[in-house]
């Protein structure tokens, strides 16, 4: 009997060890957006049909197989990985510098009317000058290396985050401030426990938007000034009519942009678990 009980117990333990991974796998596949995959499949099917039946000349739209071959050649013989890492590094630096400065100054302006009045007119003027308009001047200052591109992208990132941080603080419910006064919270306690948590959703939305904007801007910055990066590869492919390489870079940019947005979305949901809202 003892042996039977031990064997039964061990079998239960084995089942307990097997079930959790299977549940995790099932949960993973249940979260896959099958509807969202439908449109990409339709696009690829039409793309292949256009190539097979020669609806569009290959110089304008190469076949998916040709694009896959171009990707492999670029990856193994043309240092595509180095260009990709260069673009990611520039975007990462610009996002950190621009967003950090924007949050610090946005919080300061939100908490102090005088700080807002001091920076407001200058920032409102500068933010209407496109980042690309700054690029020639910045290249004269810093050359065509990474610092120039980081500065241009950081400028583009700065203003959306700054304005959303400022507006998020100014939109804190007046009743919350009155409650903090009733509870005799000092200014620092009120900022830490009431103002910043209330403004945090707006800040997270701005960071998600800024991350996508930074990734889009790096293509333009590298294309107009630089000798490496995905933007440089796109403009080079355009000039040499290498449409297959052009499509490769476009697909990579789209997939990376989608990945960045998903990461920011998941971070937003995790950090804002306490804030429940309408989900459609």
């Amino acid at each position: 009997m003892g042996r039977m009980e031990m064997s039964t117990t061990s079998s239960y333990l084995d089942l307990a060890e097997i079930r959790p991974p299977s549940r995790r796998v099932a949960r993973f596949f249940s979260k896959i957006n099958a509807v969202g995959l439908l449109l990409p499949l339709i696009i690829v099917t039409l793309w292949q049909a256009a190539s097979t039946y020669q609806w569009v000349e290959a110089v304008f739209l190469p076949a998916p197989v040709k694009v896959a071959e171009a990707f492999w050649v670029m990856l193994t013989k043309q240092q595509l990985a180095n260009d990709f890492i260069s673009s990611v590094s520039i975007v990462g630096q610009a996002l950190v510098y621009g967003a950090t400065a924007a949050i610090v100054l946005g919080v300061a302006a939100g908490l102090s009317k005088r700080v807002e009045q001091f920076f407001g007119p200058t920032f409102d003027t500068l933010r209407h000058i496109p980042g690309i308009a700054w690029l020639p001047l910045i290249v004269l200052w810093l050359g065509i290396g990474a610092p120039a591109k980081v500065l241009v992208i950081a400028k583009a990132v700065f203003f959306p985050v700054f304005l959303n941080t400022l507006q998020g603080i100014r939109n804190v419910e007046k009743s919350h401030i009155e409650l903090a006064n009733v509870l005799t919270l000092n200014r620092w306690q009120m900022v830490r426990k009431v103002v910043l948590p209330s403004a945090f959703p707006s800040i997270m939305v701005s960071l998600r938007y800024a991350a996508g904007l930074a990734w889009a801007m790096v293509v333009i910055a590298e294309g107009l000034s630089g000798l490496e990066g995905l933007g440089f590869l796109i403009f080079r492919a355009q000039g040499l009519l290498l449409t297959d390489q052009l499509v490769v870079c476009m697909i990579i940019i789209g997939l990376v942009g989608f990945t960045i947005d998903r990461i920011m979305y998941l971070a937003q949901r995790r950090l804002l678990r306490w804030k429940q809202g309408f989900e459609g």
Side-chain angles (χ1 to χ4, degrees), residues 26-125:
R27 192 180 302 115
F28 171 78
F29 283 105
S30 66
K31 291 182 178 180
I32 294 178
N33 184 5
V35 177
L37 295 176
L38 183 60
L39 182 58
L41 290 176
I42 293 174
I43 293 174
V44 173
T45 302
L46 293 175
W47 179 11
Q48 181 62 50
S51 174
T52 302
Y53 297 105
Q54 298 182 351
W55 295 341
V56 182
E57 294 185 18
V59 68
F60 298 116
L61 184 64
V65 175
K66 294 295 183 181
V67 173
E69 293 175 353
F71 169 74
W72 181 250
V73 171
M74 295 173 70
L75 185 63
T76 57
K77 298 180 180 180
Q78 298 183 10
Q79 298 182 339
L80 175 62
N82 292 339
D83 290 299
F84 174 76
I85 293 173
S86 174
S87 297
V88 171
S89 175
I90 289 172
V91 170
Q93 294 178 63
L95 185 61
V96 169
Y97 298 151
T100 301
I103 292 174
V104 171
L105 291 177
V107 170
L111 298 177
S112 173
K113 196 70 175 179
R114 290 186 177 181
V115 174
E116 182 185 7
Q117 292 173 347
F118 178 78
F119 287 109
T122 303
F123 283 178
D124 286 340
T125 302

Side-chain angles (χ1 to χ4, degrees), residues 22-237:
S22 63
R23 290 176 181 175
R24 287 196 293 268
V25 172
R27 192 180 302 115
F28 171 78
F29 283 105
S30 66
K31 291 182 178 180
I32 294 178
N33 184 5
V35 177
L37 295 176
L38 183 60
L39 182 58
L41 290 176
I42 293 174
I43 293 174
V44 173
T45 302
L46 293 175
W47 179 11
Q48 181 62 50
S51 174
T52 302
Y53 297 105
Q54 298 182 351
W55 295 341
V56 182
E57 294 185 18
V59 68
F60 298 116
L61 184 64
V65 175
K66 294 295 183 181
V67 173
E69 293 175 353
F71 169 74
W72 181 250
V73 171
M74 295 173 70
L75 185 63
T76 57
K77 298 180 180 180
Q78 298 183 10
Q79 298 182 339
L80 175 62
N82 292 339
D83 290 299
F84 174 76
I85 293 173
S86 174
S87 297
V88 171
S89 175
I90 289 172
V91 170
Q93 294 178 63
L95 185 61
V96 169
Y97 298 151
T100 301
I103 292 174
V104 171
L105 291 177
V107 170
L111 298 177
S112 173
K113 196 70 175 179
R114 290 186 177 181
V115 174
E116 182 185 7
Q117 292 173 347
F118 178 78
F119 287 109
T122 303
F123 283 178
D124 286 340
T125 302
L126 293 178
R127 71 185 177 89
H128 287 96
I129 304 175
I132 301 304
W134 285 95
L135 188 58
L137 182 61
I138 293 176
V139 167
L140 288 176
W141 295 342
L142 303 177
I144 62 173
K149 289 170 275 192
V150 169
L151 184 57
V152 170
I153 299 171
K155 182 265 178 189
V157 165
F158 176 87
F159 289 105
V161 180
F162 172 81
L163 292 174
N164 277 275
T165 302
L166 172 62
Q167 197 61 35
I169 292 176
R170 293 296 167 81
N171 285 340
V172 176
E173 295 287 343
K174 189 176 181 180
S175 58
H176 295 171
I177 303 300
E178 293 174 350
L179 179 60
N181 293 329
V182 171
L183 296 175
T184 65
L185 298 181
N186 60 38
R187 183 171 178 80
W188 167 242
Q189 290 174 329
M190 182 179 67
V191 169
R192 183 167 59 88
K193 296 182 178 181
V194 178
V195 175
L196 291 182
S198 298
F200 194 60
S202 179
I203 296 173
M204 286 301 301
V205 170
S206 69
L207 289 175
R208 182 180 174 186
Y209 170 77
L213 179 63
W215 183 245
M217 282 291 299
V218 73
V219 177
I220 302 174
E222 289 176 339
L224 297 179
S225 67
L227 298 175
E228 61 180 356
L230 295 177
F232 167 73
L233 293 181
I234 284 181
F235 278 77
R236 187 192 68 176

